[in-house]
Amino acid sequence: MTEKIIATRANKLVAVKGMNDILPPESARWEWLEEQVRKLMARYAYGNIRTPIVEPTPLFVRSLGEVTDIVEKEMYSFEDRLNGEPLTLRPENTAGVVRAVVEHSMLYEGGKRLYYMGPMFRHERPQRGRYRQFHQIGAEALGFSGAEVDAELILMADALWKLLGLNDVRLELNSLGQPEERKLHRAALIAYFEQHVDQLDEDSRRRLHLNPLRILDTKNPAMQGLVEAAPKLIDFQGEASLKHFNRVRAILDANGVAYSLNPRLVRGMDYYNLTVFEFITTRLGSQGTICGGGRFDYLIEQIGGKPAPAVGWALGVERVLELLKEQNSDVPTRPLDAYAVVPELDALPVAMKCLQALRAEGLCVQMHAGTGEGMGSMKTQFKRADASGARHALIFGADELSQNLVTVKSLRDGVGTQTLYSLTQVADWAANLQSQA
Ligand code: ATP
Ligand code: MG
């Protein structure tokens, strides 16, 4: 059986199901998004962290919780072929960041604000907005206990939507309280669901005594009514938890960030406490959560570090880009400055030296590529120049080169305007073009 699958794959050599190639021009949208994120993170003083894509399996089992969708059915796990060590392709990156922070004693001198971008892997049913390799951008503030950092992270995500020009994103907020408060809630939840056990699906029945909070996270529409009426965590929280939550809310209110309270919002991993939140859009069907996060004050200790509080979020890159597309927003692209038309092979050494100088000035220049036998007709070269979208054609004709000149022909504004430049002067033209950009 396995051999047969391998044989078919070998014949076809196509990408793994649910894992996508990101090609130009689409990849330019990704680069643009990443650029906006880098800008944003710098403005909020978050530094970049890059951790491995493969981590020891127990890291995820311990941090996400054994009875979660991810650990129960979504992880790509395998054994190291030499020593049999259980390894997993990261399904999320909070666990990896916390592992790195602990391993390198990064909180030794105080809190750290970090962000990451990269691929994550979950064995899910592929559909729009849900892939097996997908990409997340995440921000984590570690070593800070104050509500102002929860608020800062939410404000930062909100600022990102503005920077990207995203609308139709709403914020949902909840507080999960502290472990001892959850214990009380858990007992009430079990009692409630036990009374309605006939309405629970198979997954939920199994989870009833293992991890009843997970039942609130169900995606089964038949159970929505039941879950809606379940005991609410917020009613089990004491003064300190409520105060923390109210502080977050006061900062959001003062900043005009609208939100709705969703007592059912529990998130898909077990490591959260106090504030949890999701940014949701109605425009992407059931894959409407574009970003989720919250506080995880006990995770660092759980992974073996000195106890320290933390809070963070992660957004789904595919979903954010999909939403942008849904809104018909174009991302700004920079057109080519010039396309080099080189009629004769002999002109290449001088022409390419000139192009190097232009690129050193910062110009984006595409060179016409020949066949080895020749460069192709002028007609073909100009067709390509037009199709490239370049603003100018640079013509390195034999006549021009014999006088150390190059013709700059405008292909867009004032089409056809031609100017001769000396090969040494053309860098000034480039610098001038740059200063206008
Ligand atoms: P969902 O409820 O849609 O399954 P989740 O709660 O599992 O999402 P998180 O683990 O919180 O998602 O991950 C944060 C974000 O990553 C999500 O809000 C979503 O935008 C994105 N995401 C999660 N899983 C996928 C996936 N399989 N494909 C694409 N994006 C995903
Ligand atoms: Mg999920």
Side-chain angles (χ1 to χ4, degrees):
M1 179 63 193
T2 324
E3 265 172 35
K4 197 173 151 205
I5 294 173
I6 293 170
T8 339
R9 284 259 166 76
N11 290 339
K12 272 203 170 157
L13 291 177
V14 293
V16 175
K17 187 176 171 195
M19 305 198 181
N20 301 307
D21 300 311
I22 300 147
L23 314 171
E26 177 64 16
S27 52
R29 293 162 44 81
W30 286 66
E31 288 192 303
W32 172 79
L33 171 63
E34 289 159 6
E35 208 179 294
Q36 304 311 308
V37 168
R38 289 198 182 97
K39 226 178 341 193
L40 179 90
M41 294 296 169
R43 288 175 188 167
Y44 285 78
Y46 281 65
N48 184 233
I49 181 165
R50 301 167 190 232
T51 58
I53 282 168
V54 177
E55 295 278 0
T57 303
L59 173 66
F60 301 115
V61 177
R62 245 201 276 166
S63 56
L64 308 186
E66 249 169 287
V67 188
T68 55
D69 279 349
I70 296 180
V71 171
E72 282 184 338
K73 45 194 176 199
E74 295 176 357
M75 294 204 303
Y76 281 90
S77 298
F78 56 98
E79 286 177 0
D80 183 284
R81 67 161 78 189
L82 279 186
N83 63 11
E85 185 187 3
L87 302 174
T88 293
L89 297 184
R90 63 185 188 191
E92 58 98 62
N93 203 27
T94 297
V97 166
V98 169
R99 197 248 333 120
V101 161
V102 170
E103 190 170 330
H104 304 286
S105 311
M106 285 174 71
L107 301 183
Y108 185 66
E109 290 170 339
K112 279 271 175 315
R113 290 171 162 94
L114 302 168
Y115 80 95
Y116 59 81
M117 312 192 195
M120 308 296 157
F121 303 84
R122 295 185 194 176
H123 208 286
E124 304 200 68
R125 192 169 68 79
Q127 53 198 290
R128 182 190 186 198
R130 198 175 286 289
Y131 310 99
R132 291 182 174 173
Q133 175 173 329
F134 64 100
H135 298 75
Q136 285 186 341
I137 293 171
E140 322 276 14
L142 306 116
F144 303 102
S145 62
E148 67 277 8
V149 184
D150 309 29
E152 173 182 272
L153 276 155
I154 296 173
L155 292 176
M156 184 164 81
D158 186 69
L160 180 61
W161 315 143
K162 294 200 170 88
L163 199 62
L164 300 177
L166 275 189
N167 33 53
D168 271 328
V169 182
R170 63 167 211 281
L171 170 62
E172 289 193 354
L173 214 56
N174 192 18
S175 173
L176 298 182
Q178 298 291 16
E180 60 275 20
E181 295 159 343
R182 273 161 77 161
K183 226 180 261 167
L184 298 175
H185 173 252
R186 182 192 153 104
L189 208 55
I190 292 176
Y192 169 80
F193 284 126
E194 273 177 342
Q195 277 174 10
H196 304 277
V197 83
D198 50 316
Q199 293 176 54
L200 295 179
D201 60 18
E202 202 191 312
D203 246 4
S204 305
R205 256 178 234 183
R206 194 172 45 78
R207 288 172 171 186
L208 178 53
H209 293 276
L210 291 172
N211 195 348
L213 201 64
R214 286 273 77 80
I215 301 177
L216 299 180
D217 196 35
T218 180
K219 296 209 166 69
N220 183 351
M223 283 177 45
Q224 296 308 308
L226 181 68
V227 153
E228 208 86 44
K232 296 183 176 36
L233 234 170
I234 198 90
D235 297 330
F236 292 79
Q237 291 175 43
E239 207 182 316
S241 294
L242 295 175
K243 203 160 143 192
H244 184 97
F245 197 38
N246 288 334
R247 281 193 175 135
V248 176
R249 294 178 59 181
I251 297 171
L252 297 182
D253 291 339
N255 281 276
V257 174
Y259 54 83
S260 52
L261 298 178
N262 177 0
R264 283 198 42 209
L265 180 65
V266 295
R267 312 275 305 119
M269 303 85 162
D270 286 351
Y271 52 59
Y272 290 111
N273 68 305
L274 292 177
T275 323
V276 287
F277 54 89
E278 286 186 352
F279 287 93
I280 301 169
T281 174
T282 48
R283 296 182 68 164
L284 295 177
S286 51
Q287 271 61 254
T289 305
I290 61 166
C291 176
R295 211 161 242 294
F296 47 96
D297 291 335
Y298 305 96
L299 185 59
I300 297 178
E301 183 179 13
Q302 214 175 308
I303 285 179
K306 224 174 100 210
V311 51
W313 53 246
L315 66 80
V317 175
E318 284 84 354
R319 292 188 195 176
V320 166
L321 288 172
E322 191 70 27
L323 181 56
L324 270 173
K325 220 176 244 174
E326 195 65 31
Q327 286 179 196
N328 296 318
S329 340
D330 278 332
V331 312
T333 50
R334 181 181 168 167
L336 276 179
D337 294 303
Y339 189 100
V341 170
V342 188
E344 305 292 339
L345 284 175
D346 291 350
L348 281 170
V350 175
M352 288 181 75
K353 187 174 174 213
C354 176
L355 299 185
Q356 287 295 86
L358 297 181
R359 289 167 177 147
E361 286 293 339
L363 252 55
C364 302
V365 184
Q366 182 176 337
M367 188 189 66
H368 185 80
T371 59
E373 304 300 318
M375 292 300 288
S377 71
M378 290 287 272
K379 195 172 154 208
T380 309
Q381 293 201 37
F382 270 107
K383 233 191 230 164
R384 292 275 163 77
D386 274 331
S388 76
R391 295 157 71 195
H392 305 272
L394 302 172
I395 308 157
F396 294 93
D399 289 349
E400 284 103 329
L401 288 188
S402 66
Q403 300 167 69
N404 283 327
L405 296 173
V406 55
T407 300
V408 178
K409 181 177 174 185
S410 179
L411 296 178
R412 300 170 101 197
D413 339 305
V415 180
T417 321
Q418 296 202 29
T419 318
L420 275 170
Y421 285 92
S422 80
L423 288 174
T424 45
Q425 231 182 16
V426 74
D428 298 338
W429 165 77
N432 196 21
L433 208 62
Q434 276 295 82
S435 65
Q436 290 165 21

